[in-house]
């Protein structure tokens, strides 16, 4: 994972100098959406999204809906709204809105847990630490019931660069609901391999969050713990992820689906007393139906 940043930067620089073209066909592309028509569907199956927060439960996944529409310029994709500013043979530039994803660890029905394919924990006190030798030591200050960490909507711009070596997606977005007034930026490289009725997608992602984002979700409020409010000082953070999606076409309307993600959480977030894992994983196995 420490080498993911260098890998993505090298790919993006190399791809910018490569000649390629935007795919002109939807053959065997289960993610292709016809312009001017609604794309509606759902996926039934089983999955799990691990929760790195202390005393918060993992998030089970059973049903994943799909709602999308792409016009000539405007588009709606699983709750996100966008407008295409410019497009060419090798690129697309959009204005776009998107969900925050950190609030998903605090609330089971957060949109990021519902629209997985584009966690509610019990708000209990954090348990004091006990020595592994069996002798009780002075416990860390307990964190009381947490205040709300609200969902927010981000607005910004994104660019896609299409190359023979995959697609590079870069985006930057700001909190438009004034929840935390933070900034997020993402750099993603993904590559599709279609094989007869199969389609495999591999991806590597860098996800940067400003200090305001990290402090709002992972910082400690004075009402929760005066000690940890002063002890933990939030900083901007860079998460790193790898993703795999596999699909098999059963019929015109049905596909089998497998999704797996692993995210290495930045040290600046792991240092928070609310967090007890330095990674999170997501997997989902099921059958997808598109109307």
């Amino acid at each position: 994972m420490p080498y993911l940043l260098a890998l993505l930067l090298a790919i993006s620089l190399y791809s910018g100098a490569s000649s390629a073209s935007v795919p002109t066909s939807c053959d065997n592309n289960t993610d292709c959406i016809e312009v001017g028509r609604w794309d509606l569907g759902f996926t039934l199956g089983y999955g799990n999204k691990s929760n790195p927060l202390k005393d918060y439960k993992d998030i089970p996944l059973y049903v994943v809906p799909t709602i999308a529409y792409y016009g000539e310029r405007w588009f709606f994709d699983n709750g996100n709204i966008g407008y295409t500013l410019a497009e060419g043979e090798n690129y697309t530039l959009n204005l776009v809105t998107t969900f925050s994803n950190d609030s998903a660890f605090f609330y089971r029905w957060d949109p990021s847990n519902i629209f997985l394919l584009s966690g509610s924990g019990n708000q209990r006190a954090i348990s004091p630490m006990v020595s592994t030798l069996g002798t009780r030591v002075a416990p860390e200050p307990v964190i009381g019931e947490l205040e709300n960490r609200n969902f927010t909507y981000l607005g910004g711009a994104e660019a896609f660069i299409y190359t023979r070596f995959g697609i590079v997606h870069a985006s930057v977005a700001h909190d438009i609901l004034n929840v935390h007034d933070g900034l997020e930026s993402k750099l993603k490289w993904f590559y599709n391999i279609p094989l007869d009725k199969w389609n495999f997608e591999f991806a590597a992602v860098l996800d940067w969050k400003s200090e305001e984002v990290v402090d709002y979700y992972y910082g400690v409020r004075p009402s929760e713990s005066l000690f940890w409010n002063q002890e933990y000082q939030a900083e901007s953070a860079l998460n790193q992820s790898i993703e795999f999606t596999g699909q098999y076409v059963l019929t015109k309307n049905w596909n089998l689906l497998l999704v797996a993600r692993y995210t290495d959480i930045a040290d600046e977030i792991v240092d928070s007393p609310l967090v007890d894992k330095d990674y999170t994983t997501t997997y989902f196995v099921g059958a997808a139906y598109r109307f």
Side-chain angles (χ1 to χ4, degrees):
M1 296 302 293
Y3 300 101
L4 185 58
L5 175 59
L7 173 63
L8 272 174
L9 291 177
I11 290 171
S12 61
L13 290 174
Y14 183 70
S15 64
S18 302
S19 60
S21 61
V22 181
T24 57
S25 171
C26 288
D27 293 343
N28 198 34
N29 187 343
T30 53
D31 292 325
C32 185
I33 299 175
E34 184 178 344
V35 173
R37 294 189 61 182
W38 282 94
D39 183 73
L40 305 175
F42 60 88
T43 302
L44 299 175
Y46 178 77
N48 184 77
K49 184 176 182 179
S50 67
N51 199 328
L53 298 176
K54 288 182 180 179
D55 295 328
Y56 275 66
K57 297 179 181 178
D58 289 348
I59 301 150
L61 305 168
Y62 303 110
V63 181
V64 181
T66 299
I67 307 173
Y69 177 86
Y70 279 79
E72 293 297 331
R73 291 288 180 179
W74 290 96
F75 59 88
F76 175 89
D77 195 334
N78 288 335
N80 299 324
I81 302 172
Y83 180 81
T84 299
L85 292 174
E87 56 185 342
E89 185 178 8
N90 301 323
Y91 71 93
T92 300
L93 180 62
N94 301 323
L95 294 178
V96 68
T97 61
T98 185
F99 300 123
S100 63
N101 52 32
D102 293 279
S103 60
F105 296 125
F106 295 88
Y107 304 105
R108 170 69 180 90
W109 297 110
D110 186 87
S112 293
N113 295 328
I114 298 174
F115 296 108
L116 172 69
L117 306 177
S118 53
S120 172
N122 297 320
Q123 295 189 351
R124 301 175 296 185
I126 305 299
S127 302
M129 296 183 65
V130 178
S131 168
T132 57
L133 297 179
T135 302
R136 192 172 184 84
V137 296
E140 291 186 355
V142 173
I143 297 177
E145 183 173 339
L146 300 184
E147 295 181 13
N148 290 337
R149 266 67 170 173
N150 294 323
F151 153 86
T152 192
Y153 220 42
L154 307 175
E158 66 177 4
F160 291 87
I161 302 174
Y162 309 99
T163 84
R164 68 183 67 182
F165 302 104
I167 299 175
V168 177
H169 175 217
S171 66
V172 60
H174 188 271
D175 173 21
I176 59 177
L177 298 183
N178 296 320
V179 172
H180 52 62
D181 292 321
L183 189 71
E184 296 191 28
S185 182
K186 183 177 294 186
L187 179 62
K188 178 178 181 178
W189 167 81
F190 54 101
Y191 188 79
N192 279 287
I193 302 177
L195 295 173
D196 194 19
K197 292 187 176 183
W198 290 93
N199 188 76
F200 302 101
E201 181 180 290
F202 301 89
V205 184
L206 296 176
D207 191 3
W208 178 84
K209 304 173 188 296
S210 71
E211 178 182 325
E212 293 83 0
V213 177
V214 176
D215 184 59
Y216 181 79
Y217 288 109
Y218 305 103
V220 180
R221 315 285 197 267
S223 65
E224 298 166 349
S225 171
L226 286 175
F227 173 84
W228 284 116
N229 174 257
Q230 299 176 10
E231 185 71 14
Y232 173 71
Q233 300 299 316
E235 300 178 31
S236 61
L238 182 69
N239 292 340
Q240 304 175 60
S241 303
I242 53 176
E243 304 175 356
F244 169 77
T245 303
Q247 299 186 67
Y248 179 78
V249 178
L250 288 175
T251 67
K252 179 181 178 181
N253 300 103
W254 284 97
N255 299 323
L256 296 180
L257 177 69
L258 168 64
V259 175
R261 298 174 183 165
Y262 175 89
T263 298
D264 181 65
I265 302 174
D267 291 341
E268 292 81 1
I269 294 176
V270 176
D271 288 343
S272 167
L274 303 184
V275 177
D276 66 355
K277 294 184 180 68
D278 61 1
Y279 70 92
T280 180
T281 60
T282 300
Y283 70 86
F284 187 86
V285 180
Y289 182 84
R290 295 174 69 176
F291 294 94

